[in-house]
């Protein structure tokens, strides 16, 4: 089994997680820039963080046979902090770096005027740098936030097929289906989505333009949720080809629009084989 986790925050995870992910079939990831849980107080702290995303973290992942890519942005939560907005001035130099495959996470946290301005500015940067965009939908008032997100995307002029709207659920999926954007789903232990709910949505809406991620971070989360969702798909009657579409081909297609994915080493190593993956073997037997 081959897995590309299109949204996971490995800065917050241990090397044991990298090993477990590799054993489960993960061979590529995208790590979006995000809030670290503690407010950052200067642009310099962002610079150090971005340097880690393009330098140290790819090196750490490579020790475990996983190809690391990232997205760069000023995240929605910190868009409200006047100490952070100057980060917009340093983004262009990072958006030109190898391994940076999108602008993100951008979007809304509390849907403030400051977030409006920063969101629109970063969509423009994506257009200028010919990069796709990873959009974070707010945790509160998600339906209204998703509608507002899509309105700003339309106003920006960016092609919808270059945008993934993430953290969706049963309430918000139809709006994004109709928009032409990609749909992102974060599979979590207690919140957001779980494997069984995701299977129901895949039955209803199909596998086209769907990205499934673990979004694992500092909180209660699970970096193996991608593999567990694949197992749930198999147990529900989806084919191995369906699983490969969702867990590998779709993220490759979306982030491949950056022309910066580096996956050639996996072309011969990996096929849609499940024999080495205990999670998936159990699903087939069940």
């Amino acid at each position: 089994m081959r897995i590309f986790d299109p949204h996971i925050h490995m800065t917050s995870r241990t090397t044991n997680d990298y090993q477990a992910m590799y054993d489960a079939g993960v061979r590529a990831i995208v790590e979006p820039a995000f809030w670290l849980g503690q407010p950052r107080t200067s642009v310099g702290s962002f610079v150090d963080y971005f340097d880690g995303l393009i330098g140290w973290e790819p090196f750490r992942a490579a020790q475990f046979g996983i190809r690391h890519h990232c997205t760069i942005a000023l995240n929605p939560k910190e868009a409200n902090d006047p100490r952070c907005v100057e980060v917009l001035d340093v983004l262009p130099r990072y958006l030109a770096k190898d391994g940076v495959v999108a602008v993100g996470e951008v979007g809304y946290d509390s849907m403030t005027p400051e977030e409006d301005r920063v969101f629109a500015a970063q969509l423009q940067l994506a257009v200028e740098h010919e990069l796709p965009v990873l959009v974070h939908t707010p945790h509160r008032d998600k339906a209204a936030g998703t509608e507002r997100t899509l309105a700003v995307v339309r106003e920006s002029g960016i092609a919808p097929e270059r945008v993934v709207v993430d953290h969706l659920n049963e309430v918000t999926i139809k709006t994004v289906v109709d928009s032409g954007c990609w749909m992102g789903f974060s599979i979590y232990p207690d919140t957001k989505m779980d494997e069984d709910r995701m299977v129901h949505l895949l039955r209803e809406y199909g596998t086209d333009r769907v990205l499934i991620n673990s979004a694992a971070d500092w909180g209660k989360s699970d970096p193996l949720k991608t593999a567990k969702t694949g197992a749930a798909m198999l147990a529900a009657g989806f084919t191995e080809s369906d699983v490969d579409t969702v867990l590998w081909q779709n993220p490759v297609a979306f982030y491949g629009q950056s022309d910066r994915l580096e996956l050639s080493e996996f072309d011969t190593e990996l096929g849609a084989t499940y024999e080495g993956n205990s999670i998936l073997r159990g699903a087939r037997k069940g």
Side-chain angles (χ1 to χ4, degrees):
M1 178 191 193
R2 53 184 183 176
I3 299 172
F4 187 145
D5 191 329
H7 183 155
I8 185 169
H9 300 290
M10 291 308 297
T11 297
S12 63
R13 310 302 301 195
T14 68
T15 51
N16 286 346
D17 289 324
Y18 269 126
Q19 185 62 62
M21 289 161 60
Y22 181 88
D23 292 343
V26 176
R27 294 297 183 272
I29 61 173
V30 168
E31 177 163 2
F34 82 132
W35 185 56
L36 295 181
Q38 167 103 358
R40 284 174 280 211
T41 59
S42 70
V43 174
S45 61
F46 282 88
V47 169
D48 291 339
Y49 172 58
F50 294 159
D51 285 344
L53 289 181
I54 64 173
W56 166 246
E57 207 58 46
F59 173 78
R60 194 165 74 110
Q63 310 312 299
F64 297 88
I66 295 174
R67 174 64 72 171
H68 180 286
H69 309 83
C70 70
T71 75
I72 296 290
L74 172 60
N75 71 83
K77 194 173 185 71
E78 289 173 299
N80 295 295
D81 190 332
R83 298 172 297 182
C84 300
V85 291
E86 291 181 12
V87 173
L88 295 175
D89 297 330
V90 305
L91 290 181
R93 85 173 192 239
Y94 286 98
L95 297 179
K97 299 286 188 180
D98 291 340
V100 177
V101 295
V103 176
E105 298 178 56
V106 299
Y108 288 113
D109 179 60
S110 301
M111 292 185 281
T112 65
E114 291 80 7
E115 291 172 28
D116 283 329
R117 185 178 70 82
V118 170
F119 185 14
Q122 294 186 99
L123 287 172
Q124 185 57 43
L125 283 173
V127 172
E128 293 170 1
H129 288 264
E130 299 182 337
L131 288 173
V133 179
L134 170 62
V135 178
H136 167 99
T137 52
H139 302 296
R140 301 171 299 279
D141 203 2
K142 188 173 284 288
T146 302
E147 293 278 4
R148 188 163 169 179
T149 292
L150 293 173
V152 176
V153 167
R154 286 191 296 270
E155 291 167 6
S156 75
I158 192 169
E161 63 269 19
R162 296 179 70 81
V163 177
V164 57
V165 182
D166 211 347
H167 310 315
L168 298 180
N169 58 25
E170 295 89 343
V171 174
T172 54
I173 181 173
K174 184 62 166 60
T175 305
V176 182
V177 168
D178 294 340
S179 75
C181 295
W182 286 68
M183 296 154 279
F185 297 89
S186 300
I187 315 300
Y188 256 48
D190 296 323
T191 62
K192 297 186 173 127
M193 291 290 294
D194 63 28
E195 298 93 321
D196 292 335
R197 290 165 60 200
M198 191 68 241
V199 166
H200 286 301
L201 289 180
L202 289 168
R203 281 175 170 159
E204 183 174 357
Y205 290 96
T207 61
D208 186 40
R209 289 187 286 129
V210 171
L211 299 183
I212 291 175
N213 63 73
S214 69
D217 56 18
W218 302 102
K220 187 175 182 181
S221 50
D222 182 354
L224 302 185
K225 279 295 188 181
T226 48
K228 292 173 182 177
T229 302
M233 289 177 66
L234 290 175
F238 284 90
T239 67
E240 294 184 358
S241 178
D242 293 329
V243 174
D244 191 64
T245 293
V246 171
L247 295 186
W248 185 267
Q249 296 179 42
N250 282 358
V252 168
F254 178 75
Y255 287 114
Q257 296 178 97
S258 70
D259 293 325
R260 295 180 187 171
L261 285 183
E262 291 289 342
L263 300 173
S264 57
E265 66 267 41
F266 303 127
D267 288 345
T268 56
E269 176 194 349
L270 287 169
T273 175
Y274 293 76
E275 294 309 315
N277 188 312
S278 60
I279 295 174
L280 271 294
R281 285 202 310 270
R284 289 202 306 182
K285 291 175 183 176

